[in-house]
Amino acid sequence: MYKRTSEQNRAAKQRFFEKLYPNVPREGVYTIKDEIGNIVYIGESINLPKRLAEHVGGYDKSKSFHKGKLDTGFVREFYSYEIVETTNKQERLIKEIELEFKHEPKYNKRWQTK
């Protein structure tokens, strides 16, 4: 019986993510927009194809949208996305915060009112 190694599993998953989100850079900041172009969420990741797939449950629903807390309203509003490519973690975090303060997206916890 043939069994894949963990490295082969990682490579297979990466090919899956790249097929779902072609031409998406590996790391950066992303904005998720609704149908009329309003930014509803901003995030950063070192693996953008995987992170985008997690947001809509395209990979593993138990991990989608922050570890199983899938918000169906958010998924319905996920219409398009834009990427800002970055080269390091510091640049990603600064750009993410800049964009959050500029757009105040409703699904980022920083902007949710209780």
Side-chain angles (χ1 to χ4, degrees), residues 81-97:
Y81 61 90
E82 286 186 10
I83 304 293
V84 177
E85 195 169 358
T86 60
T87 56
N88 60 56
K89 185 170 186 159
Q90 181 179 2
E91 186 182 350
R92 280 196 320 272
L93 295 175
I94 289 170
K95 190 64 177 174
E96 178 186 26
I97 291 169

Side-chain angles (χ1 to χ4, degrees), residues 7 31 33 53 59 61 69 75-76 84 90 95 99-100 103 108-109:
E7 185 59 39
T31 59
K33 298 180 177 188
Y59 166 54
K61 289 190 188 297
K69 298 175 185 168
V75 172
R76 277 194 298 272
V84 177
Q90 181 179 2
K95 190 64 177 174
L99 289 170
E100 280 187 31
H103 298 287
N108 283 80
K109 289 182 181 181

Side-chain angles (χ1 to χ4, degrees), residues 23-107:
N23 304 317
V24 172
R26 184 93 171 133
E27 89 178 66
V29 177
Y30 58 96
T31 59
I32 296 176
K33 298 180 177 188
D34 63 12
E35 195 169 8
I36 58 175
N38 295 325
I39 294 175
V40 296
Y41 188 79
I42 297 170
E44 61 87 18
S45 179
I46 196 162
N47 189 340
L48 285 171
K50 178 181 176 184
R51 188 68 184 115
L52 290 170
E54 287 173 349
H55 273 299
V56 294
Y59 166 54
D60 180 349
K61 289 190 188 297
S62 68
K63 294 180 181 176
S64 59
F65 198 71
H66 296 295
K67 299 178 178 66
K69 298 175 185 168
L70 182 64
D71 185 318
T72 55
F74 174 81
V75 172
R76 277 194 298 272
E77 291 187 54
F78 188 135
Y79 187 76
S80 66
Y81 61 90
E82 286 186 10
I83 304 293
V84 177
E85 195 169 358
T86 60
T87 56
N88 60 56
K89 185 170 186 159
Q90 181 179 2
E91 186 182 350
R92 280 196 320 272
L93 295 175
I94 289 170
K95 190 64 177 174
E96 178 186 26
I97 291 169
E98 284 175 356
L99 289 170
E100 280 187 31
F101 275 93
K102 181 177 180 182
H103 298 287
E104 299 182 12
K106 69 180 182 180
Y107 289 108

